[in-house]
Amino acid sequence: MLPWPLLAGLILAFGLGDLSGTSALDFSSVWHRVALWMVGLAGFAALAIGSGWFSARQFSRLYEGLPVRRFTLWLARVLEVLALALFGWAMLGLEWPRIVAWNLGARNTILVDDILIIAPFLIELLVLWSAEYPIERLLRHGGTRSGFWPYLRLRIRQTAGLLLPLLLIYGLGQDLLVRAFPDYRESSAGQLGMLAVVATCIMLASPVFVRLSCPTRRLEDGPLRDRLERLARRSGFPCRDILVWETGGSLLNAGITGALPFFRYVLLTDALIQRLDAAEIEAVFGHEIGHVKHRHLVFFGLFFVGSVGLLSLVEVGLQSLTGVLPMVPQTWLGVSLGEILEWGVALAVLGTYFFFVFGFLSRRFERQADVFGCRAVSCTSGECPPHLDPNCPIAQEEAPRSVCPSGVRIFAQALSSVAFFNGMSVQAPSWRHGSIADRIAFVEKLENHPESLRHFDRHILRLRLTLLVLLVLGTLASLLLHDGSVLAF
Ligand SMILES: [Zn+2]
Ligand SMILES: [Zn+2]
């Protein structure tokens, strides 16, 4: 649920090893650097406000939605990348962490130094959100609801609710570790262990993040709640509560949070409940249960930690690369050419890896969850029609083995409605989910074919095992090859 620009900002701020140097800068140099960054920020603000205003004007002129919507999204991505570049420059070129640690004297404080380090990025985000307001208002609220301050407050709450617990877990974890094992930083294994502990804590505590960052309420008692609770029982899926996520009726979405059964919530947005009928909501709920029953979240945690180990092999390669290159002493705004090259290659490898490997895995897992969603509303008879709703009194309280044609229809209808009411085209490509059209075509191929269903499950199992073996081997190799710091690339 962590938005990618925030994740990238966190990696820039804390994932690059210790950048705080060993001494303070002199006073005039600090002012010079802050002024330079402010000039950069002013340029970024002008660009963001200009493009926000331009896309809002285009949108109101040609209300015909999709092309303008796509253009707006594309523009937002470009601005996010620019914001990250500006922050990266502050971190590496202007030595912001050094100013925080020595000039502001925040070294060895809990949480304060972390917040100060990421502060330039948060300021950039505030500028970006403010600039996006005119177009966001038109896109999400049809130009009527929500003033500027409630809009900005909601965005701040969404980010702070994710960021603060994350920083707290990371900062406290590091502090305790340094106290218990003073030289854990010296060894790769220690750093990987730290990362695994942080990842586990985040997964266990994720409901706290979600409840802090999204306004929610309990789904009221009634036929819908009964139906969903029955489905949860039928699928052997314990959860603490079912929550309605208030979005002002602007978004159709659902999610699940928490790795522990007694501390796990399912979230359905208000618009999803208003727009879909009970069986369709049940299918969406089934999709979310599918993610848990197939342990996707746990696998992503393993994948993340293993990837850090695997990717640190890149550092070994980069070190030999920079040995071959003649070091160019020339610097540009405080960054040397060699550094730019090293960073460029590292970021390109990281980006390519996540785009292809994570994207592929995520789309496979979504398919598996889709199948679970269809199964949740399928009948057990296998002879359909006539379709026997799993909630009618004579239906058996057991999960059906296969997907029936009516189950597939209900699930496909739910997906189409989600696309339609979110103003998306069913053809629109999605990196993490795949397009709605592809997802519908996939589940339609499976109806009444238990053998292709088994084939697909085996395929996913093979994929998981292969990845796991590769990640373990990569991590072991990087631990053996260089026992320096795993994360310092
Ligand atoms: Zn999903
Ligand atoms: Zn049926």
Side-chain angles (χ1 to χ4, degrees):
M1 283 194 117
L2 199 64
W4 83 267
L6 196 59
L7 182 68
L10 282 168
I11 291 175
L12 274 177
F14 308 109
L16 310 177
D18 190 6
L19 299 172
S20 61
T22 49
S23 64
L25 288 159
D26 64 66
F27 190 68
S28 65
S29 168
V30 170
W31 279 118
H32 178 68
R33 283 160 196 240
V34 171
L36 266 181
W37 183 75
M38 300 280 256
V39 172
L41 182 70
F44 173 71
L47 216 61
I49 293 169
S51 53
W53 173 82
F54 177 73
S55 35
R57 211 182 64 141
Q58 290 300 92
F59 191 78
S60 7
R61 255 208 337 220
L62 355 138
Y63 187 74
E64 193 28 57
L66 285 176
V68 181
R69 208 177 271 269
R70 219 168 303 156
F71 173 71
T72 309
L73 280 178
W74 178 81
L75 214 56
R77 288 298 96 80
V78 172
L79 287 168
E80 281 160 2
V81 171
L82 281 178
L84 282 166
L86 186 61
F87 181 54
W89 177 49
M91 292 297 295
L92 298 166
L94 303 176
E95 299 184 276
W96 176 244
R98 185 168 162 196
I99 299 177
V100 168
W102 299 99
N103 292 81
L104 300 177
R107 204 169 168 68
N108 297 328
T109 50
I110 296 178
L111 214 54
V112 178
D113 55 342
D114 297 329
I115 291 176
L116 280 173
I117 284 178
I118 203 164
F121 187 57
L122 299 181
I123 296 173
E124 291 165 23
L125 284 181
L126 273 180
V127 168
L128 185 59
W129 296 335
S130 309
E132 278 175 348
Y133 173 65
I135 182 69
E136 280 281 317
R137 195 176 61 129
L138 289 176
L139 284 177
R140 303 233 180 260
H141 303 286
T144 48
R145 264 180 270 179
S146 178
F148 177 71
W149 291 114
Y151 157 81
L152 199 62
R153 257 206 311 276
L154 187 67
R155 300 215 69 166
I156 292 173
R157 177 177 171 172
Q158 280 166 352
T159 301
L162 294 171
L163 202 62
L164 287 177
L166 256 176
L167 289 182
L168 197 68
I169 289 175
Y170 176 79
L172 277 182
Q174 212 166 34
D175 221 55
L176 291 176
L177 260 177
V178 168
R179 247 160 243 185
F181 314 97
D183 3 285
Y184 91 91
R185 261 184 233 253
E186 308 300 309
S187 80
S188 315
Q191 292 197 349
L192 265 189
M194 158 77 181
L195 199 71
V197 170
V198 168
T200 312
C201 286
I202 289 171
M203 274 206 289
L204 296 183
S206 58
V208 179
F209 297 45
V210 172
R211 300 208 67 180
L212 281 174
S213 61
C214 326
T216 53
R217 65 180 156 83
R218 179 177 184 274
L219 174 66
E220 60 273 12
D221 293 321
L224 180 62
R225 199 185 168 91
D226 289 346
R227 188 184 256 268
L228 298 181
E229 281 176 351
R230 242 186 335 261
L231 169 61
R233 253 199 324 275
R234 213 166 51 231
S235 331
F237 167 80
C239 82
R240 178 84 184 251
D241 205 353
I242 304 167
L243 300 173
V244 181
W245 169 12
E246 315 261 16
T247 66
S250 66
L251 181 71
L252 276 81
N253 205 347
I256 204 156
T257 177
L260 298 170
F262 55 88
F263 196 46
R264 178 192 288 146
Y265 297 88
V266 180
L267 292 104
L268 306 166
T269 64
D270 46 6
L272 187 91
I273 288 174
Q274 283 156 19
R275 303 284 195 183
L276 265 54
D277 73 27
E280 289 164 7
I281 297 172
E282 192 178 6
V284 171
F285 193 82
H287 170 100
E288 299 306 327
I289 294 180
H291 280 307
V292 172
K293 294 303 275 186
H294 291 299
R295 299 205 167 72
H296 292 162
L297 198 66
V298 178
F299 193 83
F300 276 139
L302 287 176
F303 175 78
F304 174 64
V305 174
S307 295
V308 172
L310 182 71
L311 285 170
S312 61
L313 279 178
V314 176
E315 199 210 343
V316 182
L318 275 178
Q319 271 164 357
S320 46
L321 179 82
T322 39
V324 175
L325 278 178
M327 280 324 267
V328 195
Q330 195 182 350
T331 59
W332 181 72
L333 296 173
V335 190
S336 79
L337 210 60
E339 272 176 320
I340 294 179
L341 207 71
E342 203 177 320
W343 281 98
V345 175
L347 279 180
V349 171
L350 199 72
T352 316
Y353 176 80
F354 273 97
F355 185 78
F356 287 105
V357 183
F358 177 78
F360 179 75
L361 187 66
S362 171
R363 289 192 298 273
R364 294 282 104 178
F365 281 1
E366 288 305 325
R367 298 264 154 107
Q368 210 176 18
D370 284 348
V371 172
F372 207 98
C374 292
R375 214 181 275 175
V377 285
S378 287
C379 47
T380 41
S381 70
E383 313 264 309
C384 168
H387 177 69
L388 188 62
D389 187 300
N391 288 287
C392 76
I394 52 163
Q396 288 157 329
E397 280 266 318
E398 63 172 85
R401 313 230 166 281
S402 183
V403 295
C404 80
S406 305
V408 169
R409 281 297 89 67
I410 295 168
F411 187 76
Q413 184 53 46
L415 279 183
S416 313
S417 302
V418 166
F420 178 76
F421 289 114
N422 279 334
M424 281 155 50
S425 150
V426 287
Q427 249 80 40
S430 155
W431 171 58
R432 276 198 46 223
H433 291 83
S435 78
I436 300 266
D438 284 350
R439 291 169 70 182
I440 291 177
F442 178 77
V443 287
E444 278 177 347
K445 273 197 308 216
L446 293 179
E447 54 183 62
N448 280 338
H449 284 103
E451 71 285 358
S452 32
L453 205 58
R454 271 196 298 276
H455 181 74
F456 174 69
D457 280 337
R458 271 200 305 274
H459 157 71
I460 299 271
L461 187 67
R462 271 199 304 273
L463 176 70
R464 289 165 86 135
L465 289 176
T466 314
L467 261 177
L468 219 53
V469 169
L470 281 178
L471 292 175
V472 169
L473 287 181
T475 306
L476 286 178
S478 82
L479 287 176
L480 288 174
L481 274 173
H482 68 126
D483 201 55
S485 63
V486 171
L487 301 175
F489 79 91

